[in-house]
Each structure stands twice: as structure tokens, then as C-alpha cells.
Amino acid sequence: MSISDFTPSATPPLTPETAAPIRPAQQPQLLGTRSCARLSVDTDRRAAERCSAFARTVLGPFLGDHPDPGPLVDNVVAVITELVDVASRTTRRSTIVCVVEFDGSHFMVSVEEIHGRLPHPQDEPGLYLVHRVADEVGQHLGDHGGTVIWASVPV
């Protein structure tokens, strides 16, 4: 379940002037990736639910003996839920791919591929949560002509 109908009032809105353009150079660089998981799902109304359940099974082992993984796992799952929700409604493909990478200090979540640009939070209010939890959110051109959306969540 996404929170696309919730808009926090304390978060300033993004405008077309402040949004970053799509450029291949914006592709995130994860040096020293320790763990990576990838899931391909059909683009139906349960895509976010399936990706979130998948993420819960892999995030704990990625964190190992982290002292309190619960809130961090919840944050990463919330980011995945919102990004997959956006992708499943805006893609022209029959499947989307969710990738979760962990380098020891950040979780990098990417979802392939949406049609067009990453929407603004005013249009997709669930993205307010993504921008609040992640230290970076971006997009880059994908391999199949669409846009890959990604977020980096610090540990």
C-alpha cells in the first residue's frame, strides 16, 4: 500500500526549475557493493506489494548484526513501495525490475523503467516520503529507452 494520497505540509514542493534533468551522468555509483538483490515483477496493482515483501526478506541478511534493523528496514521498504508504485503506473513495459544494493553505509534502490521523468511530489505525494528518507533521489536513462528512478537510503 503506498501513501500517494498523503502530502506532508512541511516539505517544500519541487518545481520544474529545481528538478534535475535526466542525464546518463546521474547514474549512481556504488563503489564496493557488498550485497545486491534483483526482482522482476509484472506491472499490475500488486507490484509494490510483491517488491516490498521481497525486500523484507533480503534487507535483514544484508544488515547482518546491525543493532536495530527494524526502523531502517521499514524506511527502505517504504521507499521501494513508493518507487515501484510510481513505476508500475507509468511504465509502458509489462514488467519492472527492482534492484536493492547495499555497500555497508547506504541502500541503493532502483526501479527500471518508467516512461518519462520522475514525477514531482505534488503529482505523486508518496514521493515526499522518499525525499524525506533518502539522502539522494534521482533518475537516469535506462537501457530500454525509459527512465530508471533511484534513491539512496543511509544506514
Side-chain angles (χ1 to χ4, degrees), residues 4-142:
S4 294
D5 58 347
F6 175 74
T7 306
S9 60
T11 307
L14 290 178
T15 65
E17 294 78 31
T18 61
I22 301 172
R23 294 186 199 139
Q26 282 189 327
Q27 185 168 0
Q29 300 292 317
L30 267 183
L31 302 176
T33 299
R34 296 193 319 193
S35 302
C36 180
R38 181 180 189 94
L39 178 67
S40 179
V41 296
D42 292 336
T43 54
D44 59 24
R45 60 186 177 88
R46 295 194 58 223
E49 180 183 331
R50 287 192 303 273
C51 286
S52 297
F54 165 74
R56 287 202 181 276
T57 65
V58 300
L59 294 176
F62 283 5
L63 288 168
D65 58 356
H66 188 277
D68 186 19
L72 178 58
V73 168
D74 291 344
N75 283 343
V76 175
V77 167
V79 167
I80 290 169
T81 300
E82 293 304 327
L83 293 183
V84 170
D85 179 58
V86 168
S88 66
R89 289 183 288 108
T90 60
T91 189
R92 290 184 174 171
R93 298 172 46 118
S94 61
T95 60
I96 55 173
V97 177
C98 177
V99 179
V100 180
E101 298 173 271
F102 181 59
D103 68 358
S105 63
H106 287 83
F107 280 100
M108 177 64 69
V109 176
S110 61
V111 179
E112 307 166 3
E113 296 182 6
I114 66 171
H115 177 72
R117 297 177 53 115
L118 180 65
H120 295 284
Q122 305 97 298
D123 300 323
E124 288 288 342
L127 293 176
Y128 283 111
L129 176 140
V130 174
H131 284 275
R132 189 181 78 236
V133 170
D135 60 357
E136 289 186 74
V137 178
Q139 56 197 340
H140 62 86
L141 298 176

